[in-house]
Amino acid sequence: RFSSGSRAEGFPGERVTLLLGESSVITVMVLQEEKMLANGGEPEEETEEEEEEQEMVDPLTTVREQCEQIEKCVKARAELELCEARVSSRSHTEEECTQELFDFLHARDHCVAHKVFKHLK
């Protein structure tokens, strides 16, 4: 039975069913887990470690950075940078570096495809 002054216990986000009387039942959602101190029942202060959330690092970004260091990607990036320098040095040109960009992305993504799935759970 649930009477005034009682509290429903559960995990945050969990639904808890409470029996109010013989025919009264309600379901509530636990909104926040309370942390109580042994002395006086005051809420426990959160520590700095709990307040600071760890920054999530995308494994795809990490793998891409690693793959950009392999020889094939380094060569493709060098070709792309040469093309960009050549195009930016001219005032009127129809040349674009689309193929060089595609070559670099293809080389990097080929490497990434073989490594990224090892990071999935």
Side-chain angles (χ1 to χ4, degrees):
R1 288 184 181 241
F2 186 81
S3 60
S4 62
S6 299
R7 50 186 280 242
E9 293 187 17
F11 298 105
E14 178 181 17
R15 292 191 182 278
V16 178
T17 302
L18 305 172
L19 179 62
L20 297 177
E22 290 182 21
S23 63
S24 300
V25 175
I26 63 169
T27 301
V28 295
M29 182 177 288
V30 179
L31 297 178
Q32 181 178 2
E33 180 180 5
E34 293 182 27
K35 296 179 181 178
M36 306 299 277
L37 291 175
N39 58 355
E42 294 294 321
E44 184 178 305
E45 296 290 325
E46 291 186 20
T47 63
E48 284 185 34
E49 294 172 15
E50 292 174 341
E51 291 176 4
E52 294 179 16
E53 293 182 20
Q54 291 182 348
E55 187 174 324
M56 300 294 290
V57 178
D58 185 3
L60 181 60
T61 304
T62 305
V63 172
R64 280 181 176 164
E65 290 170 356
Q66 292 170 353
C67 285
E68 287 175 5
Q69 304 304 314
I70 66 170
E71 183 180 356
K72 191 170 185 175
C73 290
V74 170
K75 288 180 180 179
R77 181 179 286 282
E79 289 291 322
L80 176 60
E81 290 172 355
L82 282 172
C83 179
E84 289 175 344
R86 186 172 57 249
V87 168
S88 62
S89 69
R90 298 178 183 162
S91 57
H92 298 290
T93 183
E94 293 182 14
E95 183 180 13
E96 296 177 353
C97 300
T98 306
Q99 186 59 48
E100 288 82 356
L101 175 62
F102 287 163
D103 291 344
F104 168 71
L105 294 176
H106 176 75
R108 185 193 64 189
D109 290 345
H110 182 75
C111 170
V112 168
H114 294 286
K115 295 181 180 183
V116 76
F117 291 105
K118 295 176 186 175
H119 295 278
L120 297 178
K121 292 183 179 182

